[in-house]
Amino acid sequence: MSDRKVRVRFAPSPTGALHIGGVRTALYNYLFAKKNGGEILLRIEDTDSNRFVPGAEDYIIESFKWLGIKFDEGVGIGGPHAPYRQSERREIYKKYVQQLLDSGHAYYAFDTPEELEAMRAATPNFQYDARTRQQGKNSLTLSKEEVDQRIAAGEKYVVRIKVEPDENIEVDDLVRGKVVINSNILDDKVLYKAADELPTYHLANIVDDHLMEITHVIRGEEWLPSAPLHVLLYRYFGWADTMPQFAHLPLLLKPEGNGKLSKRDGDRLGFPVFPLRWVDPKTGDVSSGYREAGYLPEAIINFLALLGWNPGLDRDLFTMQEMIDLFSFEHVSKSGARFDYEKAKWYNHEYLINMQDEELTDQYYLPMLQQKGIACDRDKALKIVALVKSRINFPADLWEQSSFFFERPTSYDEKSLKKRWKPESPALLTELVEVLAPISNFDIEGTEKIVMDWIEAKGYNTGTVMNSFRITIVGAAKGPQMFDVTAILGKEETIARVKAALAVIK
RNA sequence: GGCGGAUUAGUGUAGUGGCCUAGCACGCGACCCUCUCACGGUUGAGACUCGAGUUCGACUCUCGGAUCCGCUACCA
């Protein structure tokens, strides 16, 4: 078994947008597969016909495409084990359900929802198992003739697993170690529904993982309680020798309060919980996405990877390849990780300021300016981006940080004025205009030298002059070095702004 | 309620019995840089859930309490 090629899968059900927690699960699967020279496949688990949401599958595929997680086979790609959509594998499952029925590890049950309801109401903590299945209408209590008759009559039966009682089931988990559970607490889970001719998750999952030669099942912690059932299924099928290894990942928790991260937290706290924007086809509700919010996929990947896993190094920035090389379940934590949106922003900031000026300019800045109808040649745009990029968290911030290059301030920040505008500012600036006016070459060094010499000669306070100057040019006490700004603005505009401000600020 | 899992600063984590006066990062504060805001650098406050054991010695092992999380569907 250990010499089998590593094969993992990510198997979401298409019930809506792909949750960020699901993205992390997929990411860990991906990292593990690549680390071990293995393969990862994408399977769609749409065995619940009632919860199917159109568009969800495409959304999932597009999300991973954006994030840079490439699957080796599966839905949208194909492969030797196609089809990868469970709703298209009906006939396959039927065969295996029959195998379990024949070997006595499963049985037919005809109990109606109402009858089940009644049983639950009558017995506290009721569960359909070895102790209670005598009360049900199933092929264990009914005669063979009646069972055949009911099925022949088209009655909507269900197939349940027959869990043998009093057995300790061991689950070997890559992150949690050995977990032992007694079969008495397991119920006879439904494996197959005749109503839609589809298996439930448990059956389909085990059959597919076996058929698709999955070696490692890496999934969320919510599956840990049903892992023993899955172990049983492998055993009942006779596949125990090739049973995959399990790894149950800790959950992603709400940033504040109790519980796991949900869609509503994003709405409430104002951050996305989905990779891409999603419009619910039924309700029309719109959920924001990381892509549309201006996140770089690399930043999201890095952030998510370190939420529950840590390579044990004293740094936080890793490329996908580095993470692949470093990934190991030994360093996956066992407890749930609170989602920290501030850190997500920091990651984006880091990835953005580490981008080349050219890339930021061509990919984001120039298109942004064009959309606003602002003419600006590439050289100038490049210079501006270089000056402001250290202050941005999102590409959109590029505009906020640089708009003053294109738009003369129409108002002046109150706080800045209060702190930096001195009684002598108007006189100083009036004089500055006279100093600037004769300068023929308005470049950075030249202008700076002339202005600084003037300040020194007159014995003025550099801070007072420069900050007052800054307010008239930028509109607030912020931004790049002043002469970098004026060199881009040019003499005419610089002087015009000072004069305009002088006329407005009292 | 039952069963399972978990528990290091506000958050993500390092730590595998003595190296811990518990490290790193985000966030918060200060200082330096400086014409401002960022960036960068330095730095401050801030944590081993509690109680018993085991041990010469426990953040690290065992047991119990507390708390949190998950599961408990003809959903995944």
Side-chain angles (χ1 to χ4, degrees):
Chain A
M1 177 171 120
S2 55
D3 54 358
R4 285 200 294 166
K5 177 169 195 168
V6 168
R7 284 176 53 87
V8 300
R9 84 302 197 268
F10 179 63
S13 50
T15 55
L18 177 62
H19 190 274
I20 201 80
V23 171
R24 194 194 55 166
T25 301
L27 174 60
Y28 284 13
N29 269 283
Y30 179 79
L31 294 177
F32 180 76
K34 296 302 143 189
K35 158 89 181 190
N36 294 287
E39 294 163 343
I40 177 170
L41 63 88
L42 177 65
R43 187 171 69 217
I44 296 291
E45 308 221 325
D46 52 351
T47 51
D48 184 0
S49 35
N50 298 320
R51 295 212 308 161
F52 178 81
V53 174
E57 184 185 302
D58 289 340
Y59 177 96
I60 290 166
I61 291 171
E62 198 188 340
S63 294
F64 287 123
K65 203 172 151 195
W66 177 66
L67 288 161
I69 292 177
K70 287 191 188 64
F71 288 86
D72 298 293
E73 60 184 79
V75 170
I77 303 156
H81 301 283
Y84 293 92
R85 208 174 278 120
Q86 291 188 327
S87 58
E88 295 169 11
R89 299 171 65 81
R90 280 190 167 80
E91 297 312 314
I92 297 172
Y93 304 125
K94 282 182 188 169
K95 174 183 153 200
Y96 289 100
V97 169
Q98 194 57 49
Q99 180 187 331
L100 247 27
L101 249 9
D102 292 345
S103 61
H105 291 302
Y107 59 92
Y108 294 102
F110 302 93
D111 313 275
T112 65
E114 295 72 33
E115 287 166 341
L116 287 171
E117 189 82 15
M119 288 191 252
R120 274 190 266 270
T123 321
N125 295 329
F126 174 87
Q127 69 174 24
Y128 213 105
D129 61 16
R131 296 192 324 279
T132 61
R133 57 189 170 226
Q134 315 311 329
Q135 307 164 24
K137 283 187 195 146
N138 52 55
S139 56
L140 266 21
T141 60
L142 267 26
S143 69
K144 173 103 172 49
E145 292 68 37
E146 187 172 354
V147 170
D148 291 346
Q149 195 185 340
R150 280 174 183 257
I151 293 173
E155 197 171 314
K156 294 295 177 249
Y157 64 90
V158 111
V159 175
R160 287 179 182 274
I161 183 172
K162 189 179 171 202
V163 176
E164 300 302 336
D166 289 317
E167 187 185 350
N168 280 330
I169 305 162
E170 279 184 7
V171 178
D172 228 331
D173 189 279
L174 256 15
V175 337
R176 277 150 230 282
K178 207 178 284 294
V179 179
V180 183
I181 286 152
N182 192 280
S183 64
N184 286 345
I185 66 139
L186 264 26
D187 63 334
D188 289 352
K189 277 270 182 298
V190 169
L191 300 178
Y192 179 82
K193 307 154 280 173
D196 55 7
E197 299 189 301
L198 278 170
T200 59
Y201 169 85
H202 305 289
L203 191 281
N205 191 264
I206 270 61
V207 168
D208 285 347
D209 282 349
H210 174 257
L211 260 24
M212 296 178 184
E213 301 174 74
I214 298 302
T215 57
H216 299 263
V217 169
I218 304 163
R219 57 190 357 176
E221 193 186 350
E222 71 268 27
W223 292 109
L224 190 54
S226 51
L229 175 77
H230 300 158
V231 171
L232 237 35
L233 244 11
Y234 279 102
R235 224 180 269 171
Y236 292 168
F237 273 123
W239 301 334
D241 55 336
T242 54
M243 184 173 76
Q245 287 231 260
F246 293 100
H248 289 94
L249 270 19
L251 265 19
L252 248 34
L253 273 23
K254 291 177 190 298
E256 52 190 51
N258 299 334
K260 63 175 178 178
L261 185 66
S262 72
K263 169 184 184 292
R264 301 204 56 164
D265 294 313
D267 300 340
R268 187 168 55 87
L269 275 8
F271 60 80
V273 291
F274 299 122
L276 275 33
R277 183 171 178 272
W278 168 256
V279 182
D280 189 295
K282 274 210 189 78
T283 64
D285 287 350
V286 178
S287 302
S288 62
Y290 279 93
R291 182 178 63 184
E292 290 74 14
Y295 281 84
L296 302 178
E298 296 83 0
I300 294 298
I301 290 291
N302 196 157
F303 165 64
L304 242 28
L306 284 257
L307 222 46
W309 169 73
N310 192 295
L313 302 173
D314 278 350
R315 62 189 176 101
D316 294 78
L317 266 13
F318 298 94
T319 62
M320 185 76 102
Q321 189 56 51
E322 285 177 313
M323 293 193 284
I324 288 170
D325 294 337
L326 292 163
F327 191 78
S328 141
F329 282 114
E330 281 170 49
H331 288 105
V332 170
S333 65
K334 298 175 176 64
S335 52
R338 243 177 230 283
F339 189 86
D340 182 2
Y341 187 59
E342 285 303 319
K343 195 130 188 184
K345 277 202 294 208
W346 175 79
Y347 269 106
N348 210 49
H349 168 78
E350 287 295 317
Y351 274 85
L352 238 20
I353 67 177
N354 284 321
M355 267 174 88
Q356 295 297 312
D357 296 349
E358 287 76 9
E359 205 180 343
L360 271 175
T361 304
D362 296 337
Q363 206 171 317
Y364 298 108
Y365 198 50
L366 250 14
M368 197 181 290
L369 293 178
Q370 193 174 27
Q371 206 189 353
K372 291 181 189 296
I374 292 167
C376 176
D377 62 64
R378 187 166 183 268
D379 269 5
K380 183 177 169 186
L382 226 31
K383 279 184 195 158
I384 293 175
V385 164
L387 290 178
V388 306
K389 79 166 181 180
S390 70
R391 290 149 246 259
I392 63 169
N393 287 329
F394 303 103
D397 296 341
L398 240 21
W399 171 248
E400 189 198 322
Q401 294 297 330
S402 67
S403 61
F404 64 85
F405 280 108
F406 307 98
E407 297 171 343
R408 204 177 276 189
T410 51
S411 66
Y412 302 90
D413 181 61
E414 283 297 333
K415 270 190 181 159
S416 302
L417 282 173
K418 203 172 171 199
K419 191 168 182 193
R420 306 287 179 189
W421 193 261
K422 307 292 185 196
E424 63 271 33
S425 293
L428 252 23
L429 292 176
T430 305
E431 201 180 328
L432 175 63
V433 169
E434 286 162 24
V435 173
L436 295 175
I439 302 176
S440 54
N441 183 5
F442 217 64
D443 65 11
I444 300 170
E445 296 76 16
T447 312
E448 176 167 24
K449 175 147 185 15
I450 291 168
V451 173
M452 287 307 174
D453 285 351
W454 161 69
I455 289 174
E456 186 167 59
K458 291 296 184 88
Y460 293 147
N461 180 295
T462 311
T464 304
V465 175
M466 296 305 291
N467 287 316
S468 303
F469 186 26
R470 173 179 297 283
I471 290 172
T472 68
I473 300 298
V474 177
K478 61 168 195 181
Q481 294 290 303
M482 272 316 288
F483 299 106
D484 288 331
V485 176
T486 57
I488 290 175
L489 245 29
K491 189 165 83 175
E492 303 299 315
E493 180 63 15
T494 299
I495 291 175
R497 285 192 185 192
V498 175
K499 285 182 173 168
L502 249 18
V504 176
I505 304 172
K506 322 113 306 240

